[in-house]
Amino acid sequence: MVESSGTRSSKAILKQSLFNTLAPILHQYHFIEVFAGTGSVGLEAASRGAMMSYFIEKDTHAYSILNENIKAIKAKIPTIKLKSFLGDSFEVLPQILQTFQKDQKLILFFDPPFPIRENFADIYEKCFALIETIKLECIIVFEYFSSYEMPKNIKDFSIIKTKKFGKSGLIYYTNHA
């Protein structure tokens, strides 16, 4: 897979934990990598059985690499379902979500980019505001700085699992009854 110097790859241990957690249910869900970069998490979700993976990326260079990666995996697995979107995640995600029916199951993976590490709280707050607008039932997974105090609830979404790995962590929210 092609990497980009403008994006960071999720640590292997976090990805392993993510997919160990999602493995029993992944085949029932559509997977959206909200800040895709080169698409490593969404591509792995698709290759592990997600119904379809969607990717949103704002950076044109990373988006180009993402599409090269999509083309490469489609060459190996022609039946795999992948769709990429170029644009701002805060604008594109609501448009994608409007295309889903209430009975479709979604996993949204948030690993927001941070050009300056000290400003990460601002982008988290923007992500939380975006999540508050979601009306569909879904699972939301954040890769986050473990030193940051993530909210216990984001409107209708509540924590179902957390896992810390040194400076990073994964936190899972759902609004399922």
Side-chain angles (χ1 to χ4, degrees):
M1 178 160 60
V2 182
E3 296 281 335
S4 168
S5 60
T7 62
R8 62 185 166 86
S9 180
S10 296
K11 287 190 259 176
I13 192 165
L14 269 83
K15 279 184 18 181
Q16 179 181 4
S17 175
L18 173 70
F19 290 110
N20 286 346
T21 298
L22 298 177
I25 61 166
L26 191 57
H27 67 282
Q28 302 170 11
Y29 283 79
H30 295 265
F31 191 95
I32 302 174
E33 191 171 2
V34 180
F35 302 97
T38 58
S40 67
V41 177
L43 290 170
E44 187 155 345
S47 69
R48 288 180 177 241
M51 296 174 78
M52 182 162 181
S53 281
Y54 299 80
F55 305 85
I56 307 168
E57 180 50 50
K58 184 177 181 178
D59 180 81
T60 54
H61 178 67
Y63 184 74
S64 174
I65 294 169
L66 166 64
N67 283 315
E68 288 176 36
N69 290 337
I70 287 173
K71 186 177 177 182
I73 200 164
K74 280 186 172 183
K76 292 178 185 172
I77 312 169
T79 58
I80 201 163
K81 295 182 180 177
L82 309 167
K83 187 163 185 175
S84 64
F85 297 85
L86 177 62
D88 186 320
S89 295
F90 298 104
E91 296 168 10
V92 175
L93 181 61
Q95 296 169 9
I96 294 171
L97 293 177
Q98 288 178 359
T99 68
F100 285 94
Q101 304 296 317
K102 290 216 179 275
D103 63 341
Q104 291 178 296
K105 297 179 178 183
L106 304 172
I107 296 171
L108 280 63
F109 181 78
F110 284 80
D111 180 12
F114 305 107
I116 301 171
R117 294 284 181 204
E118 292 76 37
N119 292 337
F120 64 84
D122 292 342
I123 198 161
Y124 283 163
E125 293 303 320
K126 283 183 73 175
C127 290
F128 302 153
L130 178 61
I131 291 166
E132 288 179 1
T133 68
I134 296 173
K135 306 275 191 262
L136 299 167
E137 286 190 15
C138 56
I139 296 171
I140 294 174
V141 183
F142 258 95
E143 181 175 333
Y144 71 104
F145 287 111
S146 58
S147 61
Y148 184 77
E149 185 69 33
M150 295 292 281
K152 301 223 181 303
N153 298 294
I154 304 171
K155 197 172 179 186
D156 298 331
F157 291 86
S158 301
I159 295 173
I160 55 172
K161 181 177 180 167
T162 57
K163 186 86 172 167
K164 292 184 180 182
F165 308 90
K167 293 181 180 180
S168 297
L170 292 172
I171 190 164
Y172 300 75
Y173 294 89
T174 190
N175 60 351
H176 294 177

